[in-house]
Amino acid sequence: MQRGGSSLDTRILTDGDIDTFSMLPRRLHPAELGGKRRLITSHAAENLFWMGRYAERAENQLRLSQLVLKWLEVNDGNKDPAFIRLLVQLCQQQNLLPETDDAAAPSWRAVS
């Protein structure tokens, strides 16, 4: 519409009956709403939503921690420096390790 397009209403003429079937839900009247009870309050639903988000985040951090620990256990003597840097970056992004600058890097980061 903003670039010069247009919109038209289409009318179809018929001599027969018109089908009024619609898949849209019908409108509720105030009397119908008065008798309805909520299964859960909106406040409780919002709290459950955020609890689910935090639980999912915690699960992802736990899986990453398990991956790192398992990898360190299996590859005790054969550590690839590029892969370790990647693991450190992932752990820092997930707040599992504190972010540090390279000048003050702890000994476990200084892999050659």
Side-chain angles (χ1 to χ4, degrees):
M1 300 285 270
Q2 294 173 347
R3 296 183 180 155
S6 63
S7 174
L8 297 174
D9 288 339
T10 303
R11 296 177 187 243
I12 299 174
L13 301 177
T14 180
D15 292 332
D17 293 336
I18 298 172
D19 186 12
T20 60
F21 173 76
S22 174
M23 293 183 71
L24 294 173
R26 64 181 180 82
R27 286 189 165 197
L28 295 176
H29 298 287
E32 295 173 319
L33 292 175
K36 294 229 181 230
R37 259 187 97 218
R38 292 183 185 159
L39 297 177
I40 188 170
T41 65
S42 61
H43 182 71
E46 183 180 5
N47 287 341
L48 288 171
F49 169 79
W50 286 109
M51 185 182 73
R53 296 261 325 242
Y54 290 131
E56 186 175 352
R57 185 178 296 165
E59 180 186 8
N60 288 337
Q61 289 180 345
L62 177 66
R63 289 178 188 269
L64 179 60
S65 299
Q66 288 175 335
L67 170 78
V68 170
L69 292 174
K70 183 92 168 167
W71 185 84
L72 289 173
E73 178 185 324
V74 170
N75 296 313
D76 190 33
N78 184 17
K79 293 180 176 61
D80 180 20
F83 188 70
I84 289 180
R85 279 193 293 275
L86 176 66
L87 287 179
V88 167
Q89 286 175 352
L90 282 173
C91 290
Q92 286 174 339
Q93 287 174 355
Q94 297 296 318
N95 295 322
L96 295 174
L97 290 174
E99 300 222 11
T100 58
D101 55 345
D102 289 332
S107 61
W108 53 267
R109 277 196 65 195
V111 178
S112 57

